[in-house]
Amino acid sequence: MIKKNITFKLTVGFLAIVIISTLLIGIISLNIFKNNIYEIKRNNMKKHALEISETLKPYISQGTKGKEFIDIINLLDSIDNAKIWILDSNKNIISASNNKNINLTYINDIDVKKTYNSITEKVLTGVEGYEETYNPCYKEYMMTIAVPIKNDNNSVIGAVIINSSICDISNSMNNFFIYLLLTVLGEISLAGFMGYYFSKNISKPLKKINSSALELARGQYGIRTNIYQKDEIGELSNSFDLLSLKLEYTIGKLFEEKTKLSNIITSMSEGILAMDNNLNIININQSSLNLLSLKDTKSDININTILLELNIIEEFNSIISNNTKGSIVKEYSNKILNFSISPIKNNLNDVIGGVILIQDISEKEKLEQMRKDFISNVSHEFRTPLTIIKGNLESVIDGMTKPEYITDTFITLLKETNRLERMVKDLLNLSKLESGKLEIDFNELDVNMLINDTIRSLKPLIADNSIDLQLSLQNNLPPLFSDYDKLKQLLIIFLDNGIKFSQNKGKLKISTYADSENICISIEDNGIGIPKDEIQYLGEKFFKADRARSSKAEGTGLGLSIAKRLVKILNGYFSIESELEKGTVITISFSITQKK
């Protein structure tokens, strides 16, 4: 993708021009520099060779073995930065000795003579010679200048050969080449940055227009490029903005009705599932997924599989084929769902699919069952005392009750009437709690003082049952913001149950304590306890844990229902822990910081 980028192409093209031009100029400059250096060195060596030939001319004529000749050769070899050879008329190559105190050195190396044969023959004919070649004697590439030595008669009596290493020139060329490469790298960086900057300015608006076009294709109608340039790119941008505006207006009109319908379907709490004749899903809202316990349409559990297991597919096909409407109720994932199916028709009135309306009627069924259970429980609870009252009254009216038992009969009638009165009173209190019409008066109160007041109210009941009451009240408890009467009523319900379901001479312990957030009241008894599998049902109307009641325990079954709702109204929380034959612990907690 990056090779197709216009910024990349412009930058690379700019860099290519700079690199090629720089390398071309550098190579030409390198060759010019090299030729000039070689020319200067060659001229200097020739000049030195001519001067040496003039100096040695008188000594050559006298012979090469004279002491003065040897001293001059050694002196010249030490002064000049070159290797000086003297060629006599017999083509013997003479060089200064490495040891300055001995005679000259005669170079008889075959490779040397072979290498320098052409130049020696040429210079002995009176012509100056020049070569750049590898010197076997010094084992390096050297520049060689040969100048003939002539006597006064202009006859060649020898020659001066100067050998100078060209390593310094090669090193200079290498350094020049390295500097050239560094220059190229520097230019690449600088030119790359500048080329990228300028090409970016050219390609940026084009990319913006392209990006806007892609957004437009994705449905972002009305998007603007916000490019304001007085050139061809600016004109293109203005045309695109105009196109976007017109497309936004047109598409907006087309989708207005569809959006309304979609919003209605999406906001519905009921599930909407549309399918074609081939059972392919056309549309589904989030409520359908939630009701079918799915995360999304790509869930591992296929929607069609779920509908097939619930026999909805069979009903769907039947309704579509018959062009009718229908509904079916099924239980799925702990919910009771009602599936209402209707056909979908096109403009030609042909059935092209169907829509399924999914409704969760679990709560409705639960409320209906609760209503039935409540009526059944109320009827059952009222029937027992009414049967007793009716039986005793009939016995008195028929004269079957002996006079000495009439008083006991009236006591029984009064007892059952009081029981009915308590039941009606509890039902009225429960109705007020559930309807929210109960008046609550929140004030700061002392929890320990409230518990002592409650115990005084229940003192006769505690004494009658020989209950061992134990108090563990924490001192300096923070004040609680609550309703005094309602909280006292709540405590009486729990304490009354603790006394009622404890054996004679049982133990009842009341504790108060606080942490950084809550004030807690704990009521513990050693009664007969409640089965663990029945604790979850405590608080339901008329529920009685049969194994947790003695034969003498009486109640309406509404006390814990009232207590459960009182705790909620007082912004508290209570928990129950119990074990059969060992007792029950009820913990009530209230937030310290709560305000009404």
Side-chain angles (χ1 to χ4, degrees):
M1 288 299 294
I2 191 172
K3 292 184 178 179
K4 298 180 181 179
N5 190 300
I6 189 171
T7 302
F8 175 81
K9 290 181 179 179
L10 289 174
T11 304
V12 170
F14 188 68
L15 283 176
I17 293 173
V18 171
I19 293 171
I20 292 173
S21 60
T22 302
L23 288 176
L24 185 61
I25 294 172
I27 292 171
I28 294 173
S29 300
L30 182 63
N31 288 328
I32 295 173
F33 176 72
K34 179 180 178 181
N35 292 334
N36 287 339
I37 292 296
Y38 273 67
E39 184 68 25
I40 292 171
K41 187 176 182 68
R42 185 165 56 248
N43 291 335
N44 287 335
M45 289 176 64
K46 182 178 179 180
K47 179 181 178 182
H48 292 160
L50 291 172
E51 291 175 353
I52 292 171
S53 69
E54 291 296 324
T55 302
L56 294 179
K57 181 169 65 173
Y59 299 100
I60 291 290
S61 300
Q62 298 176 4
T64 59
K65 295 183 180 181
K67 185 176 184 305
E68 292 181 358
F69 178 77
I70 295 172
D71 291 340
I72 289 175
I73 293 298
N74 289 332
L75 179 63
L76 291 173
D77 187 72
S78 62
I79 293 175
D80 204 307
N81 186 21
K83 301 296 182 181
I84 301 175
W85 292 350
I86 305 300
L87 187 68
D88 60 14
S89 57
N90 296 324
K91 297 183 179 182
N92 293 319
I93 300 175
I94 304 170
S95 175
S97 174
N98 293 331
N99 189 344
K100 304 302 180 182
N101 298 322
I102 64 175
N103 294 332
L104 299 176
T105 299
Y106 286 84
I107 300 174
N108 296 316
D109 188 278
I110 297 175
D111 293 333
V112 174
K113 289 184 176 183
K114 184 178 180 181
T115 302
Y116 288 91
N117 183 53
S118 62
I119 195 172
T120 55
E121 289 181 354
K122 183 178 180 181
V123 75
L124 289 177
T125 62
V127 180
E128 296 175 357
Y130 170 78
E131 279 189 1
E132 293 178 18
T133 186
Y134 179 77
N135 192 319
C137 181
Y138 301 112
K139 293 181 173 52
E140 61 179 321
Y141 284 92
M142 305 189 84
M143 181 184 289
T144 302
I145 294 291
V147 177
I149 301 175
K150 299 179 181 179
N151 59 15
D152 294 336
N153 296 326
N154 205 29
S155 298
V156 177
I157 59 177
V160 175
I161 301 175
I162 299 179
N163 298 293
S164 180
S165 175
I166 59 175
C167 291
D168 54 344
I169 298 178
S170 298
N171 291 335
S172 298
M173 295 300 102
N174 292 336
N175 290 335
F176 185 90
F177 187 72
I178 290 173
Y179 293 147
L180 177 62
L181 291 179
L182 292 176
T183 302
V184 170
L185 292 176
E187 285 188 341
I188 289 175
S189 301
L190 180 60
F193 174 77
M194 295 181 65
Y196 178 80
Y197 175 77
F198 288 114
S199 60
K200 192 74 173 177
N201 287 338
I202 296 174
S203 63
K204 186 176 180 180
L206 296 177
K207 287 183 177 180
K208 178 62 177 176
I209 294 174
N210 181 62
S211 175
S212 299
L214 292 176
E215 291 296 324
L216 188 65
R218 295 188 187 102
Q220 297 293 329
Y221 308 112
I223 191 170
R224 306 290 188 277
T225 58
N226 295 323
I227 298 174
Y228 307 101
Q229 295 181 198
K230 296 181 179 180
D231 52 18
E232 289 81 357
I233 295 178
E235 292 176 0
L236 176 62
S237 174
N238 292 334
S239 300
F240 179 87
D241 291 344
L242 180 60
L243 172 64
S244 178
L245 285 172
K246 290 187 176 180
L247 190 60
E248 180 185 26
Y249 176 79
T250 304
I251 297 297
K253 290 294 183 180
L254 291 176
F255 282 92
E256 184 175 355
E257 293 301 322
K258 182 178 179 181
T259 302
K260 290 179 181 179
L261 180 61
S262 177
N263 289 335
I264 293 173
I265 294 175
T266 303
S267 61
M268 290 178 62
S269 59
E270 291 83 3
I272 297 293
L273 173 61
M275 304 174 70
D276 60 18
N277 291 333
N278 296 322
L279 304 180
N280 296 317
I281 296 176
I282 302 173
N283 196 357
I284 184 172
N285 65 353
Q286 186 61 41
S287 297
S288 297
L289 299 176
N290 296 336
L291 292 172
L292 295 176
S293 302
L294 298 175
K295 294 182 179 179
D296 51 51
T297 55
K298 298 180 180 179
S299 177
D300 293 337
I301 303 176
N302 190 275
I303 295 176
N304 287 343
T305 303
I306 297 175
L307 297 178
L308 185 62
E309 292 176 354
L310 297 175
N311 295 327
I312 304 299
I313 297 296
E314 181 180 355
E315 186 71 17
F316 179 87
N317 291 330
S318 175
I319 289 174
I320 296 303
S321 60
N322 296 326
N323 193 14
T324 58
K325 296 181 180 181
S327 64
I328 182 173
V329 177
K330 293 289 182 179
E331 184 174 351
Y332 177 76
S333 187
N334 298 323
K335 294 189 288 285
I336 300 176
L337 303 177
N338 180 52
F339 296 85
S340 299
I341 306 172
S342 299
I344 300 175
K345 300 178 182 179
N346 59 12
N347 295 333
L348 301 176
N349 207 33
D350 296 328
V351 177
I352 60 174
V355 61
I356 303 175
L357 176 65
I358 307 174
Q359 295 174 300
D360 186 358
I361 58 174
S362 303
E363 190 65 26
K364 178 181 177 182
E365 291 294 322
K366 182 179 178 181
L367 291 174
E368 180 63 21
Q369 187 61 41
M370 288 177 62
R371 184 186 67 82
K372 293 178 180 179
D373 292 342
F374 179 75
I375 294 173
S376 176
N377 289 329
V378 169
S379 300
H380 175 75
E381 292 295 332
F382 274 76
R383 184 188 300 116
T384 301
L386 288 174
T387 301
I388 296 174
I389 293 172
K390 180 181 178 182
N392 282 278
L393 288 175
E394 289 177 346
S395 177
V396 172
I397 293 173
D398 294 340
M400 297 177 62
T401 303
K402 296 181 180 180
E404 60 270 20
Y405 296 124
I406 289 179
T407 301
D408 293 336
T409 300
F410 287 158
I411 292 174
T412 302
L413 292 173
L414 181 60
K415 182 178 179 181
E416 293 302 324
T417 303
N418 291 336
R419 181 180 174 187
L420 284 173
E421 184 182 12
R422 287 197 307 272
M423 197 179 303
V424 172
K425 183 178 179 181
D426 288 343
L427 284 172
L428 290 174
N429 288 335
L430 192 58
S431 177
K432 289 181 179 179
L433 289 171
E434 290 179 339
S435 63
K437 297 180 179 179
L438 192 66
E439 295 183 0
I440 306 296
D441 184 17
F442 280 88
N443 291 291
E444 287 189 353
L445 54 88
D446 187 327
V447 174
N448 291 340
M449 183 180 296
L450 173 64
I451 290 176
N452 288 324
D453 290 345
T454 306
I455 291 173
R456 280 192 292 269
S457 301
L458 296 175
K459 195 170 183 180
L461 184 61
I462 295 173
D464 291 342
N465 289 273
S466 302
I467 298 297
D468 179 14
L469 181 63
Q470 299 177 4
L471 296 180
S472 177
L473 307 180
Q474 179 179 321
N475 294 326
N476 301 320
L477 285 176
L480 177 63
F481 198 76
S482 187
D483 186 298
Y484 181 90
D485 294 329
K486 302 302 181 294
L487 184 54
K488 183 176 180 180
Q489 181 183 359
L490 176 66
L491 293 176
I492 289 175
I493 292 173
F494 286 133
L495 289 174
D496 180 64
N497 281 343
I499 297 171
K500 185 167 26 178
F501 300 126
S502 295
Q503 302 292 340
N504 284 334
K505 299 183 180 180
K507 182 181 71 173
L508 185 63
K509 183 178 180 181
I510 305 174
S511 305
T512 59
Y513 56 91
D515 53 25
S516 60
E517 297 180 355
N518 299 305
I519 296 176
C520 299
I521 303 172
S522 175
I523 302 173
E524 179 181 357
D525 65 61
N526 62 345
I528 57 177
I530 306 169
K532 291 184 178 180
D533 58 344
E534 295 183 0
I535 292 178
Q536 58 180 323
Y537 300 111
L538 294 179
E540 294 186 7
K541 300 172 186 176
F542 298 107
F543 177 80
K544 298 178 182 179
D546 295 334
R547 297 181 61 183
R549 291 181 175 274
S550 64
S551 59
K552 67 174 185 177
E554 297 179 357
T556 63
L558 297 173
L560 287 180
S561 296
I562 295 173
K564 182 178 180 180
R565 287 156 180 80
L566 278 174
V567 170
K568 184 177 180 180
I569 289 175
L570 296 176
N571 301 321
Y573 170 80
F574 82 97
S575 61
I576 300 176
E577 298 178 6
S578 184
E579 189 174 350
L580 283 175
E581 306 303 334
K582 291 187 177 181
T584 303
V585 179
I586 296 175
T587 304
I588 315 167
S589 59
F590 298 95
S591 175
I592 295 176
T593 58
Q594 69 178 4
K595 294 289 182 182
K596 186 69 177 176

